[in-house]
Amino acid sequence: MPANVKKRPRYAIMDGIRYPEMISPKCFKEALEYKPQPGDVFIDTYPKCGTTWMQNVALYVFRKGKELEDPTEFFRAAPFIDMLGMEGINSMPRPGAFKTHLPYSHLPYSPEAKYIFVARNPKDCCVSFFHHARNHPGFGYWDGEFDDFFELFMAGELEYNDYFDHLLDWYPHRNDPNVFYTRFEDMKKDMTSVVLKLSKFLGQEYIDAIEKDNNVLNNILLYSGFDYMKKKLSEVHNIEKRGRTPATMFEGHKHCMEFAVALNPPKELPEMQFVRKGIVGDWQNHFTPDQSERLNKKMLEKLKGTDVLQWYPIE
């Protein structure tokens, strides 16, 4: 642990990868060992780089713009396999996409599967990651401080290890025929273009559906929009907070909830938000000039010789 860090979120380690301790080791192992089937689709990002957003986009491309009747169905329709393991994999309606944060080197890989990767500016990722760790009681980090979290980010000692290693693991594969690569910032700037490209990548029938009926595209954009996602995911978390069991409750999900309760978090925690601000540049409200400079230096060292430095110019 970096010197002077007083507290870190609660993690376990398997196969060299840090993962949230609240996740069932059995489920995490099942995700690591899963052998993809032809036609499987994986959404893979480093945490807090637009995963939930892309889950919604892919889900509504597959559904051709048809709204989910029950917001809790989201967890079944777009399962986080690191947390849910084989139960989540086997229960997902197909066609669909699995979410994972595993680095490319540890990913269930098959040339017959498809992979969606989303990158995000490391500074914004760090800030979003901090709020996520602090707001989710299962991390036991509700009293954590940003300065400590920043040091862990710099040292690569957060869940799924180092941001830059994760990105560089994926980077050589960004143009592979079975990989769709985009950035959080592209999704903010021109979601229509991202949806059209993704639909084409996922299959001719999805781009055909959009071209035949303009409402399909409009609905995909609406249901994967920030305000809609925030409202629907808040409804799901409120159901859990009131002690009701969502329509879709997996063993892995129960394991996380029981782990969080056992930590005895304070009653007045901030509301848990998977979708918080969804903006570009929020890091400027959190970083000191020294922190910004240190992360700039790490970016230059780690990303030398890659296009990523053009994606995220040093500020």
Side-chain angles (χ1 to χ4, degrees), residues 164-273:
F164 295 97
D165 291 345
H166 195 286
L167 178 59
L168 291 170
D169 209 11
W170 264 102
Y171 180 77
H173 303 283
R174 68 198 183 285
N175 296 320
D176 290 0
N178 64 336
V179 171
F180 178 85
Y181 210 143
T182 191
R183 301 179 307 158
F184 182 96
E185 295 77 15
D186 297 328
M187 293 170 72
K188 285 294 290 183
K189 190 174 170 185
D190 187 359
M191 180 56 101
T192 300
S193 174
V194 171
V195 168
L196 293 174
K197 287 177 192 165
L198 179 65
S199 300
K200 200 169 175 187
F201 172 77
L202 291 174
Q204 191 62 40
E205 70 175 284
Y206 305 110
I207 195 73
D208 286 350
I210 285 172
E211 287 172 353
K212 275 186 199 143
D213 182 356
N214 204 38
N215 285 326
V216 173
L217 176 60
N218 290 340
N219 286 346
I220 294 168
L221 294 172
L222 173 65
Y223 300 143
S224 56
F226 181 79
D227 291 339
Y228 180 89
M229 286 194 305
K230 191 170 176 100
K231 178 176 179 291
K232 289 297 177 184
L233 287 172
S234 293
E235 286 173 17
V236 174
H237 294 309
N238 284 337
I239 287 169
E240 291 177 1
K241 262 181 151 179
R242 291 196 296 269
R244 284 172 52 205
T245 303
T248 309
M249 177 62 89
F250 299 102
E251 283 304 316
H253 203 168
K254 281 185 193 161
H255 188 281
C256 285
M257 289 174 74
E258 286 165 6
F259 183 89
V261 168
L263 294 181
N264 198 22
K267 289 199 167 41
E268 295 305 314
L269 274 182
E271 184 185 349
M272 193 163 79
Q273 298 175 327

Side-chain angles (χ1 to χ4, degrees), residues 138-178:
F139 288 107
Y141 200 66
W142 47 81
D143 53 352
E145 294 177 6
F146 179 73
D147 288 353
D148 282 350
F149 195 86
F150 172 81
E151 295 302 332
L152 295 169
F153 187 86
M154 286 292 292
E157 293 186 13
L158 295 172
E159 61 184 280
Y160 299 94
N161 302 3
D162 184 81
Y163 164 95
F164 295 97
D165 291 345
H166 195 286
L167 178 59
L168 291 170
D169 209 11
W170 264 102
Y171 180 77
H173 303 283
R174 68 198 183 285
N175 296 320
D176 290 0
N178 64 336

